[in-house]
Amino acid sequence: MQFLSDNAARVHPAVWEAMKAADAPDSPYDGDALSQRLDAVFSDLFGRECAVLWASTGTAANCLALATMVQPHGGVICHRESHIESDECGAPGFYLHGAKLLLADGTGARLTPDSIGAVLAGITRGIHQVQAHAISITQVSEYGLTYAPQELTAIGELAREHGLGLHMDGARFANAVAYLGCSPAQAAGPVDALSFGFTKNGGMDAEAIVFFDGEQADLARWRRKRAGHLHSKGRFLAAQILALLEGGLWLQLARAANDAAAHIASGAGERLLHAPQSNELFMRMNADERAALRAQGFAFYDWDDASVRLVTSWDTRGEDAQALATAIAAL
Amino acid sequence: MQFLSDNAARVHPAVWEAMKAADAPDSPYDGDALSQRLDAVFSDLFGRECAVLWASTGTAANCLALATMVQPHGGVICHRESHIESDECGAPGFYLHGAKLLLADGTGARLTPDSIGAVLAGITRGIHQVQAHAISITQVSEYGLTYAPQELTAIGELAREHGLGLHMDGARFANAVAYLGCSPAQAAGPVDALSFGFTKNGGMDAEAIVFFDGEQADLARWRRKRAGHLHSKGRFLAAQILALLEGGLWLQLARAANDAAAHIASGAGERLLHAPQSNELFMRMNADERAALRAQGFAFYDWDDASVRLVTSWDTRGEDAQALATAIAAL
Amino acid sequence: MQFLSDNAARVHPAVWEAMKAADAPDSPYDGDALSQRLDAVFSDLFGRECAVLWASTGTAANCLALATMVQPHGGVICHRESHIESDECGAPGFYLHGAKLLLADGTGARLTPDSIGAVLAGITRGIHQVQAHAISITQVSEYGLTYAPQELTAIGELAREHGLGLHMDGARFANAVAYLGCSPAQAAGPVDALSFGFTKNGGMDAEAIVFFDGEQADLARWRRKRAGHLHSKGRFLAAQILALLEGGLWLQLARAANDAAAHIASGAGERLLHAPQSNELFMRMNADERAALRAQGFAFYDWDDASVRLVTSWDTRGEDAQALATAIAAL
Amino acid sequence: MQFLSDNAARVHPAVWEAMKAADAPDSPYDGDALSQRLDAVFSDLFGRECAVLWASTGTAANCLALATMVQPHGGVICHRESHIESDECGAPGFYLHGAKLLLADGTGARLTPDSIGAVLAGITRGIHQVQAHAISITQVSEYGLTYAPQELTAIGELAREHGLGLHMDGARFANAVAYLGCSPAQAAGPVDALSFGFTKNGGMDAEAIVFFDGEQADLARWRRKRAGHLHSKGRFLAAQILALLEGGLWLQLARAANDAAAHIASGAGERLLHAPQSNELFMRMNADERAALRAQGFAFYDWDDASVRLVTSWDTRGEDAQALATAIAAL
């Protein structure tokens, strides 16, 4: 009964099927028919024109998006617990040629206009100090929390005011849309580029970089090739994305994962660090309690000395979620 | 009847099977059981200890290997028609932080101790000029030609003498082994790192970076993550490689591709730029002749005004190869 | 009466003289007789073998030194108020190819084994997180405070234990030696490389990068040229350094600057944020008080809303220091 | 009697005077009164608005200029014997974050629309190949040859047509203006940025980067700081430039150097590789002849096995030039 990570989940049968169907000679790289359909399919989904590139990892997606907004001498405002800061082994430094991450605070790893403003206010030494070129937010955050549409609007206004690009790390964007119950466009808000994750949500190794500005997409194409991320058989990445997107499978899978998390959370009461808004749960739990759960066959990561992280996924079995909920209640 | 590229070939059924078999929860990234087996399997194959990392593209494999040998202020001696120089959109400049490609000559896009020596002899301005840190050779070359074991030995000696790293771009290494009829170890010669390609030879998106020096492999691990190439479900890449490697399928597929090429070449006579040594053929052909072939349903790329490139793959059908051979003979 | 910065100070007459004396044809770059003497002169000063490169700015000196210790995928532990973090416009990101500054705390912008240890303890996510490759400390710190020899020893031990390089930003190293009353070797402690500043202490545009490891120096030579910092008439930089070093002028000038600061501080009592240990003073002062001082002709920078920074230099006139001391006492 | 390099020449007395005059407290970095005058003085000189930054080396000037025109994934077309390709230890790779130098041919190290066009015509592999973003030409070239105004116009048109930036390495721009007898504006032609050298022409360590586009200059300011090239006492660099510029001293000195070269060339006849157009001479000379000259006290560099390079400077003594001319005629 694994609650370690949605990375460990299986590939959805529909994705397998689509990949198999793509196994016929076609143009290499992204010249194939499937890759060529992405722009249209995402433009439909978001209700406005998008240009979309696939990439095989979220780190690549985030960095390729940011590289279109940030000069090597600039910086990106992000949360100090964000993935790009803490879990990508300095990839932004590599892709942005030494640009700096400018760390902001915020409860639940979420930025606010105030916390962004505090970073901007601290940049006072002119030419001697790295200036912000962009903001990167995470939907859902490292703590599984969402930004509501009006919060995104406020951050977008701040970005525009200061001439900053706005990027969204949406490794779990599907879970945000499922929780918020709004349209994808509302859940993305006024961002310039969105890393839209599929790998954690039924895919194998496919993420979409959705650009709402075609020029940025064109720039990213060169950078993707230069970073060794232009797969020669790109049709297999496009196939994964299309299989999940078409018919709304992505949303259905995200709802399943969120529901499993909500079920587990239902009896956790005061243990919860945050009321769950996606498929990630953070709970206070002491060493004995952890050991007790693990002895019953539940696998999960410690978050820190006082708490654990539990992640559900599209293929979390109902009985496993139920068992975990019961076990937690019994602690 | 496509002879455009082995990139366009299908994924081998055994690879599909292995990927499906890998579709169960396991440790993310490269902590899974399959990824953990790579070192042993390649060490067996090469008869000496290797440390192996998977990557999803040849460009990434080449650049991650070179980054362990070349300082940002150094250079890589390579052929002026090599893939890293001409077809990777400057990826080495990105991964090596501005290091320079130092271009050497050589018939059939193959380097020789003399052509490498000529580059070294031209570096005379001390601190003012970029110094060579490594040599990169391609087995088989851009023209489908191999390096014989004794040629590799000679280049290896030169590298050692000058304190240079030695890298082999083996996107079509399997075709070289098949042609040379020697062991993989002999076909790799004294290289420090080998990009061993599987994508063009029955795989989907998997290349192995084989390090014969464990410290370089450890360095490459950080760089791979930092470049966004550490797939979260790495087991699917390892599965592809293992499926092709185990039981010698890789060699069998490469032989099939080589045989198809040899068959097509058999009647081409004076048209051939080079006697074929792998699955790539280069033939003199005028515009009318090209048109005639294309009218019969053969797809292939022009190489330049005077010649064309024809590439076979593991799944080239015998009747297609026969038809092409006949059509060429009839021109 | 300027107390803005020691950057604004004049060039010492002995430096002018030495530069004029250097104005005769000699080998270009660093092949001239003066540049060639630097290793010996610094080896004498530090009582052990050094290899020394000149550079024209402290930013270049710091970054060229760090680039010999830190891989692009690594990080440098430094104080969050250090110059390399706050005042070099991201130069370390440029020179270290995207390596990260890992920010530590500490009173008076000084690191301690504990504060360094806290950063190291926070690096827990293996391949996903940037690892420390070096520590950079500043002697004197951004608040003008020194590290005592035994403090340096403790930090050096920690560095060795963790396999980290150790760099010292010594833009005001002379002021530290003058305050500590110890030898230069003791004030440098077990660092691998020292940026030894002369520009703020009677020079025009010369800093020495002192390497206690010859191989690092050899590496830095390539990087210096590559960064456009190998002056073609390098003899003029060497001349500045030698003029200040020989006869102990550097120490004499630093003492004068320190003494002026001590004099100003003598009547400042509770205003002082820190008991002065060099030529920089930080005092609590409200807006009215600042205005009063400025009205009397004193120029200085605000540090923050509650305090100001006052910097003396080798050429601060005794009467100006006296006048400022009196004016502050009279507030 | 040295004819090694104009790098070895002395600093002009007027430059010393101006530097001494600048030795009074002023704003640090480039906020001083002298640095602030540069834009106006160069705007006058070129008859159109310029924004000007000083830098201490030609390598820095070239690279900072190019960095405003070339993206990391792009390339710079330059001559294969140009300084940025051969003598800057890969500095463009560093400053341009891995962008590539795309090497063109041309007699006397001069580009032509045809040789540039040949490079452009060779870029055919779309996303797989580095695209040109800029052209860099050298006035005077590595062989001391000039571009006439109409040649610059033709190259400028080609650049505009292809959307490429145009940079001029003018380390010896003064010598070009002196030879061409035209205005500085005509000698610069339609370039976007000019590295205008003063170090080889009476200065100590000052080059001007002249931007004809203010936005590029603003970008270069950040990059200069980030590269450690923002001197804290920048007034001394501005002073050098102003001393040489005002009153036309720069042109007078360049004429003196050119005249000395012309005098030496006058009797060299068939030995000359090129009719001299500046202060550099290239002559065919065998080993015995070189030895004979050196035995008479003439110092100069071998260029290759068959020829030598002789460089005059503003302070080449008439009698030395005469002696050399006589000695060459007597060979």
Side-chain angles (χ1 to χ4, degrees):
Chain A
M1 294 179 291
Q2 81 89 9
F3 297 90
L4 290 162
S5 174
D6 31 13
N7 276 341
R10 286 177 300 124
V11 173
H12 192 275
V15 171
W16 279 114
E17 229 171 277
M19 290 176 81
K20 287 285 294 189
D23 194 16
D26 198 341
S27 292
Y29 305 106
D30 62 354
D32 61 280
L34 298 176
S35 298
Q36 295 294 311
R37 278 180 49 208
L38 291 178
D39 287 5
V41 172
F42 279 92
S43 296
D44 265 9
L45 186 72
F46 284 99
R48 58 178 170 134
E49 208 150 330
C50 314
V52 177
L53 281 73
W54 39 250
S56 60
T57 70
T59 294
N62 286 336
C63 290
L64 289 170
L66 286 168
T68 67
M69 307 175 186
V70 180
Q71 293 264 351
H73 61 277
V76 182
I77 298 176
C78 64
H79 196 278
R80 65 177 70 256
E81 295 185 74
S82 63
H83 203 263
I84 57 172
E85 161 65 10
S86 300
D87 287 280
E88 300 189 347
C89 195
F94 179 45
Y95 276 84
L96 308 184
H97 300 291
K100 207 179 179 107
L101 300 185
L102 305 165
L103 305 182
D105 295 304
T107 315
R110 292 166 70 259
L111 299 183
T112 63
D114 278 0
S115 74
I116 296 166
V119 170
L120 291 169
I123 302 174
T124 57
R125 285 191 285 279
I127 198 80
H128 304 280
Q129 215 175 346
V130 173
Q131 309 294 306
H133 289 191
I135 301 168
S136 178
I137 54 179
T138 308
Q139 176 82 304
V140 303
S141 80
E142 295 310 292
Y143 288 95
L145 304 183
T146 57
Y147 289 88
Q150 67 275 21
E151 293 175 310
L152 297 172
T153 304
I155 291 173
E157 268 162 26
L158 186 64
R160 212 168 16 253
E161 225 173 83
H162 290 267
L164 307 176
L166 185 55
H167 165 252
M168 179 178 280
D169 176 353
R172 294 187 181 92
F173 182 70
N175 302 91
V177 176
Y179 172 78
L180 292 166
C182 65
S183 71
Q186 286 172 311
V191 300
D192 298 305
L194 163 69
S195 307
F196 191 144
F198 292 92
T199 306
K200 294 177 194 292
N201 192 33
M204 178 186 287
D205 57 0
E207 313 280 300
I209 322 174
V210 182
F211 289 99
F212 297 101
D213 171 335
E215 278 186 39
Q216 288 183 322
D218 288 340
L219 196 57
R221 277 181 233 287
W222 298 102
R223 300 295 179 101
R224 178 175 64 174
K225 171 64 193 176
R226 188 179 187 238
H229 279 288
L230 183 64
H231 284 225
S232 61
K233 300 180 177 176
R235 57 193 181 272
F236 292 111
L237 280 78
Q240 296 175 53
I241 295 170
L242 292 171
L244 286 162
L245 221 52
E246 294 177 321
L249 180 59
W250 65 286
L251 197 50
Q252 182 185 326
L253 297 185
R255 278 188 193 125
N258 285 9
D259 288 351
H263 187 64
I264 295 164
S266 60
E270 289 305 303
R271 289 191 184 278
L272 289 169
L273 267 66
H274 306 282
Q277 304 188 345
S278 62
N279 64 325
E280 291 184 296
L281 298 171
F282 295 82
M283 293 192 195
R284 290 176 195 89
M285 205 171 283
N286 66 33
D288 288 348
E289 295 168 333
R290 296 172 199 199
L293 287 185
R294 284 174 177 140
Q296 295 169 60
F298 299 105
F300 53 88
Y301 286 116
D302 293 336
W303 186 248
D304 57 29
D305 289 350
S307 54
V308 302
R309 188 185 77 158
L310 301 160
V311 188
T312 58
S313 59
W314 71 270
D315 65 348
T316 298
R317 285 177 303 184
E319 61 263 38
D320 291 355
Q322 177 57 48
L324 180 55
T326 307
I328 289 170
L331 283 175
Chain B
M1 293 179 290
Q2 82 87 9
F3 296 90
L4 289 163
S5 174
D6 32 13
N7 276 341
R10 285 175 302 124
V11 173
H12 191 274
V15 172
W16 279 115
E17 229 171 275
M19 292 177 80
K20 286 287 295 189
D23 194 15
D26 198 341
S27 293
Y29 305 107
D30 61 356
D32 61 281
L34 298 176
S35 298
Q36 294 294 310
R37 278 180 51 208
L38 292 178
D39 287 6
V41 171
F42 279 92
S43 296
D44 265 8
L45 186 71
F46 284 99
R48 58 178 170 137
E49 209 150 327
C50 315
V52 177
L53 281 75
W54 39 249
S56 60
T57 69
T59 294
N62 287 336
C63 289
L64 288 170
L66 286 168
T68 67
M69 309 176 185
V70 181
Q71 292 264 352
H73 61 276
V76 182
I77 298 176
C78 64
H79 195 278
R80 66 176 70 256
E81 295 186 74
S82 64
H83 202 263
I84 57 173
E85 161 66 12
S86 300
D87 285 282
E88 300 189 346
C89 195
F94 179 45
Y95 274 84
L96 308 184
H97 300 291
K100 206 177 179 108
L101 301 185
L102 305 165
L103 304 182
D105 295 304
T107 315
R110 291 165 72 259
L111 299 184
T112 65
D114 279 0
S115 73
I116 296 166
V119 170
L120 290 169
I123 302 174
T124 56
R125 284 191 287 277
I127 200 79
H128 303 281
Q129 214 175 345
V130 173
Q131 307 294 306
H133 289 193
I135 301 168
S136 179
I137 54 180
T138 309
Q139 176 80 306
V140 302
S141 78
E142 296 310 293
Y143 287 94
L145 304 183
T146 57
Y147 288 89
Q150 67 274 22
E151 292 176 309
L152 298 172
T153 304
I155 290 173
E157 269 161 28
L158 186 66
R160 211 167 18 254
E161 224 173 88
H162 290 268
L164 307 177
L166 184 56
H167 165 254
M168 180 178 278
D169 175 352
R172 293 186 181 93
F173 182 71
N175 303 91
V177 177
Y179 172 78
L180 291 167
C182 64
S183 71
Q186 287 173 310
V191 300
D192 299 305
L194 163 68
S195 308
F196 191 145
F198 292 92
T199 307
K200 294 178 194 292
N201 192 32
M204 178 187 286
D205 58 0
E207 314 279 301
I209 323 175
V210 182
F211 288 99
F212 297 101
D213 170 335
E215 278 186 39
Q216 288 182 324
D218 288 340
L219 196 57
R221 278 180 233 288
W222 298 103
R223 300 296 179 97
R224 178 176 63 176
K225 172 64 193 176
R226 187 179 190 238
H229 279 287
L230 184 64
H231 284 225
S232 61
K233 299 180 177 177
R235 59 193 180 272
F236 292 112
L237 278 78
Q240 296 175 52
I241 294 171
L242 291 172
L244 286 161
L245 220 53
E246 294 178 320
L249 181 58
W250 65 286
L251 198 49
Q252 182 185 325
L253 298 185
R255 280 188 192 127
N258 285 9
D259 288 350
H263 187 66
I264 295 164
S266 59
E270 289 304 304
R271 288 191 184 279
L272 289 168
L273 267 64
H274 306 282
Q277 303 189 346
S278 62
N279 64 326
E280 291 185 297
L281 299 171
F282 295 82
M283 293 191 195
R284 291 176 195 90
M285 204 173 281
N286 66 34
D288 288 349
E289 294 168 332
R290 296 173 199 199
L293 288 185
R294 284 175 176 139
Q296 296 170 61
F298 299 104
F300 53 88
Y301 286 117
D302 292 336
W303 187 249
D304 56 29
D305 288 352
S307 54
V308 301
R309 188 185 78 158
L310 300 160
V311 188
T312 59
S313 60
W314 73 270
D315 66 346
T316 298
R317 285 177 303 183
E319 60 262 37
D320 290 355
Q322 177 57 49
L324 180 54
T326 307
I328 289 171
L331 284 175
Chain C
M1 293 180 293
Q2 84 87 9
F3 296 89
L4 289 163
S5 174
D6 32 14
N7 275 342
R10 286 176 301 125
V11 173
H12 192 275
V15 172
W16 279 115
E17 230 170 275
M19 292 176 80
K20 287 286 294 190
D23 193 15
D26 199 341
S27 293
Y29 305 106
D30 62 354
D32 62 280
L34 299 175
S35 298
Q36 293 295 310
R37 278 179 50 207
L38 291 178
D39 287 6
V41 171
F42 278 92
S43 295
D44 265 9
L45 186 72
F46 283 100
R48 59 176 169 136
E49 209 149 327
C50 315
V52 177
L53 281 75
W54 38 249
S56 60
T57 69
T59 294
N62 287 336
C63 290
L64 288 169
L66 286 168
T68 67
M69 307 176 187
V70 180
Q71 292 264 352
H73 60 276
V76 182
I77 299 176
C78 64
H79 196 278
R80 66 176 70 255
E81 294 185 75
S82 64
H83 203 262
I84 57 172
E85 161 66 10
S86 300
D87 286 281
E88 301 190 345
C89 195
F94 179 45
Y95 275 84
L96 308 183
H97 300 291
K100 205 176 179 108
L101 301 184
L102 304 165
L103 304 183
D105 295 305
T107 315
R110 292 166 70 259
L111 299 183
T112 64
D114 279 0
S115 74
I116 296 166
V119 171
L120 290 169
I123 302 174
T124 57
R125 282 191 286 277
I127 199 80
H128 303 281
Q129 214 174 344
V130 173
Q131 307 294 305
H133 289 193
I135 302 168
S136 179
I137 54 179
T138 309
Q139 176 81 303
V140 306
S141 79
E142 296 309 295
Y143 287 95
L145 303 183
T146 58
Y147 289 88
Q150 68 274 22
E151 293 175 310
L152 297 173
T153 304
I155 290 173
E157 269 161 27
L158 186 65
R160 210 166 18 252
E161 224 173 86
H162 289 268
L164 307 177
L166 184 55
H167 165 252
M168 179 177 279
D169 176 352
R172 293 186 182 94
F173 182 70
N175 302 91
V177 177
Y179 173 78
L180 292 167
C182 66
S183 71
Q186 288 173 311
V191 299
D192 298 305
L194 163 69
S195 307
F196 191 145
F198 292 93
T199 306
K200 294 177 193 293
N201 191 32
M204 178 187 285
D205 58 0
E207 314 281 300
I209 322 175
V210 182
F211 289 98
F212 296 103
D213 172 335
E215 278 186 39
Q216 287 182 324
D218 288 341
L219 196 57
R221 277 180 233 286
W222 298 103
R223 300 296 180 98
R224 178 175 64 176
K225 172 64 193 176
R226 188 177 188 239
H229 279 288
L230 183 65
H231 283 225
S232 61
K233 300 180 177 176
R235 57 193 182 272
F236 292 111
L237 279 78
Q240 297 175 52
I241 294 171
L242 291 172
L244 286 161
L245 221 52
E246 292 178 320
L249 180 59
W250 66 286
L251 199 49
Q252 183 185 322
L253 297 186
R255 280 190 192 123
N258 285 9
D259 288 350
H263 187 65
I264 295 164
S266 60
E270 289 303 304
R271 288 191 183 278
L272 289 167
L273 265 65
H274 306 284
Q277 302 188 347
S278 63
N279 64 326
E280 291 185 297
L281 299 171
F282 295 82
M283 293 191 195
R284 291 175 195 89
M285 204 172 281
N286 66 33
D288 289 349
E289 294 168 333
R290 295 173 200 199
L293 286 185
R294 283 173 177 142
Q296 296 169 61
F298 299 104
F300 53 89
Y301 286 117
D302 293 337
W303 186 248
D304 57 29
D305 289 351
S307 54
V308 301
R309 188 185 77 157
L310 300 160
V311 187
T312 59
S313 60
W314 70 271
D315 67 346
T316 299
R317 286 176 304 183
E319 62 263 36
D320 291 357
Q322 177 57 50
L324 180 55
T326 307
I328 290 171
L331 284 176
Chain D
M1 293 179 294
Q2 81 87 11
F3 296 89
L4 289 163
S5 174
D6 32 12
N7 274 343
R10 286 176 301 124
V11 173
H12 191 275
V15 171
W16 278 115
E17 229 170 276
M19 291 177 81
K20 287 287 295 188
D23 194 14
D26 198 342
S27 293
Y29 303 107
D30 62 353
D32 61 280
L34 298 176
S35 298
Q36 294 294 310
R37 279 179 49 206
L38 291 178
D39 287 4
V41 170
F42 279 92
S43 295
D44 265 10
L45 186 71
F46 284 99
R48 59 180 169 133
E49 209 149 329
C50 315
V52 177
L53 281 74
W54 38 250
S56 61
T57 68
T59 295
N62 287 337
C63 289
L64 289 168
L66 286 169
T68 66
M69 307 175 187
V70 180
Q71 293 264 352
H73 61 276
V76 181
I77 298 175
C78 64
H79 196 278
R80 66 175 70 253
E81 294 185 75
S82 64
H83 203 263
I84 58 172
E85 162 65 11
S86 299
D87 286 279
E88 301 190 345
C89 195
F94 180 45
Y95 275 84
L96 308 184
H97 301 290
K100 205 176 181 110
L101 300 185
L102 305 166
L103 305 182
D105 295 304
T107 315
R110 292 164 71 257
L111 299 182
T112 63
D114 278 0
S115 73
I116 296 166
V119 171
L120 291 169
I123 303 173
T124 55
R125 282 191 287 277
I127 199 80
H128 303 281
Q129 213 175 346
V130 172
Q131 307 294 306
H133 289 191
I135 301 167
S136 179
I137 54 178
T138 309
Q139 176 82 304
V140 303
S141 79
E142 297 309 294
Y143 287 95
L145 304 183
T146 57
Y147 288 88
Q150 68 275 22
E151 292 175 310
L152 298 172
T153 304
I155 290 172
E157 267 162 27
L158 186 65
R160 210 168 19 254
E161 225 173 84
H162 289 267
L164 307 177
L166 184 55
H167 165 252
M168 180 177 280
D169 176 352
R172 295 187 181 93
F173 182 71
N175 303 92
V177 177
Y179 172 77
L180 291 167
C182 65
S183 71
Q186 287 173 310
V191 300
D192 298 305
L194 163 68
S195 306
F196 190 145
F198 292 92
T199 306
K200 294 178 194 292
N201 192 32
M204 177 185 287
D205 59 0
E207 312 280 300
I209 322 174
V210 182
F211 288 99
F212 297 102
D213 170 335
E215 276 186 41
Q216 288 182 323
D218 288 340
L219 195 57
R221 277 180 234 287
W222 298 103
R223 301 296 180 99
R224 179 175 65 175
K225 171 67 193 175
R226 188 177 188 241
H229 280 287
L230 184 63
H231 283 224
S232 62
K233 300 180 178 178
R235 56 193 182 273
F236 292 111
L237 278 78
Q240 296 175 52
I241 294 170
L242 291 171
L244 286 162
L245 221 54
E246 293 177 322
L249 181 59
W250 66 286
L251 199 49
Q252 182 185 324
L253 298 185
R255 278 187 193 128
N258 286 9
D259 289 350
H263 187 64
I264 296 166
S266 58
E270 289 304 305
R271 288 190 184 279
L272 290 168
L273 266 65
H274 306 283
Q277 304 188 345
S278 62
N279 63 326
E280 291 185 297
L281 300 171
F282 295 82
M283 293 192 195
R284 290 175 195 90
M285 204 170 283
N286 67 33
D288 288 348
E289 294 168 334
R290 295 173 201 198
L293 288 185
R294 283 173 179 142
Q296 297 170 57
F298 299 104
F300 54 88
Y301 286 117
D302 292 337
W303 187 247
D304 56 29
D305 289 349
S307 55
V308 301
R309 188 186 77 157
L310 300 160
V311 187
T312 59
S313 61
W314 71 270
D315 66 348
T316 298
R317 285 177 304 184
E319 61 264 36
D320 290 356
Q322 177 58 47
L324 181 55
T326 307
I328 289 171
L331 284 175

